[in-house]
Amino acid sequence: YAIFPVLAPAFIAFKSITNSDFRKTSFSLYSLVSGATANPITKEWYFQDKELLDILWSKVPSAKCYVDDAIGEPRLEYQLSEGYCGSATQRCILRSFGLSPESIPAQKNGETKPGPWCEHVCQMAKEATEGNMELETTIVGGDVDY
């Protein structure tokens, strides 16, 4: 362990002198870290403040459906990895109608197109409730002001 603090600076100095790619990468990394330090995410508009989220989970009726009554904490459906956003969103929609996570098909990878996606949400709701739930979906374009 004592040798690392001695050799690491020498190695970095040597690579910086002899390898231009190493210098560029080091500079890029330094810029990235210094930028993150100067502009922390907590100051960005999209930062999710825990106290505000706690208020949301406890007071907004549409958010209450995602709270696990057993532990009193939100239980959201995040996408498993890139490419799973459509099926994760489908599951969240159906859970907002009160369907249990177990009754909804698992997330899957793949492209999601609006038309078939809407039909699929309606079909999953009907199947999960054994025909007792009928949904109507509307595709809202990206140019609509929410």
Side-chain angles (χ1 to χ4, degrees), residues 5-146:
V6 174
L7 292 180
F11 174 77
I12 291 171
F14 173 77
K15 290 296 275 182
S16 294
I17 293 168
T18 61
N19 189 325
S20 65
D21 287 337
F22 184 83
R23 283 191 302 274
K24 291 175 189 173
T25 302
S26 298
F27 179 73
S28 296
L29 184 60
Y30 173 78
S31 297
L32 177 70
V33 171
S34 63
T37 304
N39 303 307
I41 193 169
T42 55
K43 293 185 179 181
E44 298 295 336
W45 66 268
Y46 50 81
F47 174 69
Q48 296 184 2
D49 184 281
K50 183 171 177 15
E51 291 177 17
L52 293 176
L53 286 173
D54 287 342
I55 292 169
L56 169 81
W57 296 125
S58 63
K59 295 189 177 178
V60 177
S62 62
K64 286 183 180 181
C65 346
Y66 292 106
V67 175
D68 185 342
D69 293 329
I71 60 172
E73 291 288 324
R75 181 177 51 190
L76 288 178
E77 184 84 29
Y78 293 100
Q79 66 188 59
L80 297 172
S81 66
E82 184 179 352
Y84 285 76
C85 56
S87 60
T89 302
Q90 289 173 339
R91 287 179 55 88
C92 286
I93 289 170
L94 293 170
R95 288 179 67 186
S96 73
F97 285 106
L99 297 175
S100 70
E102 296 79 26
S103 69
I104 306 169
Q107 289 187 32
K108 63 181 181 179
N109 189 5
E111 181 182 17
T112 307
K113 295 179 181 173
W117 190 88
C118 290
E119 294 169 16
H120 192 227
V121 168
C122 295
Q123 178 189 354
M124 288 191 316
K126 194 170 191 174
E127 289 173 3
T129 61
E130 298 176 357
N132 293 323
M133 180 182 285
E134 292 286 335
L135 294 180
E136 183 179 318
T137 59
T138 303
I139 298 171
V140 178
D143 59 344
V144 174
D145 186 17
Y146 298 97

